[in-house]
Amino acid sequence: MSANQTKYPQLRFKGFTDPWEKRTLGQTTAKAKSYSLSRDVERDHETGYRYIHYGDIHTGVADIVTEHTKLPNIEPANYDELRVNDLVVADASEDYRGIAEPAVVVGLPTQHLVAGLHTITLRPSSASSLYLYYLLHTDSFKHFGYQMGTGLKVFGISWSNLSKFTFMIPSRPEQEMIVKLIESVDNLIAVNQRKLAKLKELKQVYLQKMFPKNGSKFPQLRFSGFADAWEQRKLSEIYDKIRNAFVGTATPYYVNQGHFYLESNNVKYGKLNFNNEVYINDDFYQKQKPNWLHTGDLVVVQSGHVGHSAVIPSELNNTAAHAVIIVAKPKQKIDPYFINDYLQTNIARKQIDNITTGNTIKHILTSAMKMFEVSLPSYEEQRPISNLLAQIDDTITLHQRKLEKLQELKKGYLQKMFC
């Protein structure tokens, strides 16, 4: 990259043409004193002080600075109270990617609020606080933190190193425009995160209330027109075939292109995902024919995150699988999605826990799953229950995709609007 190119970002607002200037954090901020003792220090009495701990920053709590641990009786000379627009940076992390992760105190009550253990407080002097906040989320800063950080089990960065971070900065009006745009995306992300959380909570409410619990034969909530008691049935009474998929070592048969091979990592939270796709050669695939998956089969994870399940869709008909229990060939008219939904309930999770074996790696036996009991209504009642939960799942998926697109948009702005 030429010297001229580094003075301009890839993307900027219309009307701004001036070159950006080179600065360091040491030139644009001053360091305030953080309170250095652990939040677990024994207190003589409460003083009303609150503080931001580096753990609060890593978990995102400090971004909204609400309630924080009160400090013991401390000497004012040992710390500086935070001010509006101060940046509080975590100077330690068990993961190098978390080094110098920032929080910002903007427009919030700061009286008796201080920065605590493993933090560095930056007090901006010649730059927008929020501009610096977003700057510290860019890949270039994260790379700098990785290069300058020290330590093995716990990575850390000092103020002397942090102050050396060099970056290009525009005029104050252009800083404010950049901040305004990214803030708007942040606000949309927050709105969608809240919507997504509410939808997930709604699904959990339905899972609790639309299935009987505590030995009852009647759910708390049901569709109009249904009043019959539900039955307790073992899976082996509902399905004719409950068997293992291939459980040996399959890695010798992996190929770059071939037959998709469904593994336990593809089955989580009642759904199939394709985050990790593995393919097998034709010879090994054909040998698995007796255990091929078919449309409507239920698969249950056997080791690791045991009990997670999913229903096989038509596009995965005749797929080979690994390390899952296959539940197939119903003996009666059954909605497999209803059974899959039942496995997501708290009462079902407790049953799974009771039949799980192993300490380091959790495991369930096929024989135990054959005895697994399900609360079962008529087929006519199963369908509207599974349809309702499917609609909620589809809405969750849509909001999840929207959220991911917004997060990618923000990432793009952070890459292209800073230089």
Side-chain angles (χ1 to χ4, degrees):
M1 183 178 287
S2 70
N4 184 57
Q5 285 177 311
T6 60
K7 294 181 181 179
Y8 303 93
Q10 290 179 261
L11 183 67
R12 48 191 321 195
F13 290 96
K14 187 177 180 180
F16 294 100
T17 58
D18 292 340
W20 290 23
E21 298 179 357
K22 184 180 289 187
R23 292 288 186 273
T24 66
L25 276 181
Q27 293 171 327
T28 52
T29 66
K31 178 178 178 290
K33 293 179 182 178
S34 296
Y35 180 72
S36 61
L37 295 181
S38 167
R39 74 155 110 200
D40 300 320
V41 68
E42 190 174 331
R43 301 175 182 82
D44 294 327
H45 62 275
E46 301 291 0
T47 63
Y49 281 89
R50 298 173 298 145
Y51 78 109
I52 298 173
H53 185 269
Y54 75 107
D56 297 329
I57 297 173
H58 291 316
T59 57
V61 174
D63 277 333
I64 54 173
V65 188
T66 53
E67 296 181 3
H68 290 277
T69 307
K70 291 182 179 179
L71 296 174
N73 192 20
I74 54 180
E75 294 297 328
N78 292 332
Y79 63 89
D80 288 326
E81 288 191 12
L82 292 175
R83 299 176 186 172
V84 171
N85 293 329
D86 279 352
L87 283 162
V88 182
V89 173
D91 69 10
S93 172
E94 292 182 2
D95 183 341
Y96 73 84
R97 289 170 293 185
I99 291 179
E101 190 172 1
V104 64
V105 183
V106 180
L108 293 164
T110 57
Q111 187 177 17
H112 300 320
L113 178 64
V114 299
L117 182 67
H118 288 308
T119 64
I120 298 173
T121 301
L122 306 180
R123 188 154 287 167
S125 56
S126 59
S128 160
S129 178
L130 281 172
Y131 178 84
L132 293 178
Y133 172 73
Y134 287 120
L135 174 71
L136 300 192
H137 283 87
T138 61
D139 286 342
S140 62
F141 180 73
K142 291 177 183 178
H143 182 66
F144 169 84
Y146 173 62
Q147 284 186 316
M148 303 300 287
T150 58
L152 298 174
K153 291 184 178 180
V154 177
F155 295 87
I157 192 166
S158 65
W159 161 246
S160 62
N161 282 332
L162 187 62
S163 65
K164 296 173 185 175
F165 177 63
T166 303
F167 55 93
M168 304 300 295
I169 191 167
S171 65
R172 193 62 175 254
E174 190 169 1
Q175 292 176 43
E176 300 296 344
M177 291 290 287
I178 292 169
V179 165
K180 186 176 180 180
L181 176 63
I182 300 179
E183 264 193 316
S184 68
V185 179
D186 260 346
N187 291 335
L188 288 173
I189 287 173
V191 167
N192 279 274
Q193 284 173 330
R194 288 193 291 270
K195 286 181 180 178
L196 193 58
K198 287 181 179 179
L199 283 167
K200 290 179 178 179
E201 288 174 7
L202 177 64
K203 181 180 178 182
Q204 288 305 311
V205 169
Y206 280 132
L207 284 173
Q208 295 211 16
K209 294 189 175 183
M210 298 192 77
F211 295 84
K213 56 184 178 180
N214 300 325
S216 174
K217 294 183 179 180
F218 302 92
Q220 289 179 260
L221 184 66
R222 64 197 308 191
F223 287 94
S224 177
F226 297 103
D228 294 340
W230 291 28
E231 299 178 353
Q232 284 290 115
R233 305 286 299 278
K234 295 181 177 68
L235 275 183
S236 59
E237 295 174 338
I238 304 170
Y239 288 92
D240 187 51
K241 298 290 184 182
I242 300 175
R243 64 193 188 280
N244 291 328
F246 184 75
V247 293
T249 301
T251 49
Y253 313 106
Y254 288 178
V255 292
N256 292 329
Q257 292 182 334
H259 300 277
F260 172 69
Y261 193 45
L262 188 139
E263 298 187 308
S264 59
N265 285 334
N266 300 120
V267 183
K268 286 186 178 178
Y269 305 111
K271 297 180 180 179
L272 293 173
N273 69 76
F274 302 95
N275 300 330
N276 296 297
E277 295 189 18
V278 169
Y279 298 89
I280 53 174
N281 63 37
D282 188 64
D283 183 58
F284 181 66
Y285 169 73
Q286 294 298 334
K287 288 180 180 178
Q288 303 308 308
K289 187 172 183 178
N291 286 327
W292 281 357
L293 302 172
H294 300 291
T295 304
D297 286 355
L298 186 73
V299 290
V300 181
V301 174
Q302 192 168 18
S303 296
H305 53 290
V306 298
H308 285 245
S309 61
V311 177
I312 300 303
S314 57
E315 56 266 31
L316 291 186
N317 190 45
N318 295 336
T319 296
H322 182 268
V324 294
I325 296 171
I326 304 170
V327 181
K329 294 191 176 180
K331 297 178 181 180
Q332 62 189 73
K333 197 171 184 181
I334 196 81
D335 180 0
Y337 291 95
F338 174 87
I339 304 296
N340 185 49
D341 289 330
Y342 181 81
L343 289 172
Q344 315 308 312
T345 64
N346 289 338
I347 192 168
R349 295 306 308 171
K350 289 178 182 177
Q351 286 188 70
I352 292 289
D353 289 341
N354 289 336
I355 62 174
T356 297
T357 61
N359 294 321
T360 305
I361 299 178
K362 304 297 183 182
H363 188 82
I364 49 175
L365 299 173
T366 301
S367 57
M369 283 305 298
K370 288 180 180 180
M371 304 303 292
F372 187 90
E373 291 190 342
V374 175
S375 291
L376 200 66
S378 65
Y379 175 78
E380 289 71 26
E381 190 171 3
Q382 295 171 34
R383 292 292 295 153
I385 293 172
S386 63
N387 285 341
L388 174 63
L389 293 171
Q391 288 173 13
I392 296 174
D393 274 339
D394 289 343
T395 308
I396 287 173
T397 299
L398 286 173
H399 278 79
Q400 185 66 53
R401 287 174 181 166
K402 186 176 180 180
L403 178 60
E404 289 169 358
K405 286 181 179 179
L406 285 168
Q407 289 168 335
E408 283 298 313
L409 178 63
K410 178 182 175 180
K411 184 178 179 180
Y413 284 146
L414 289 174
Q415 288 181 346
K416 294 181 179 181
M417 301 195 78
F418 293 83
C419 65

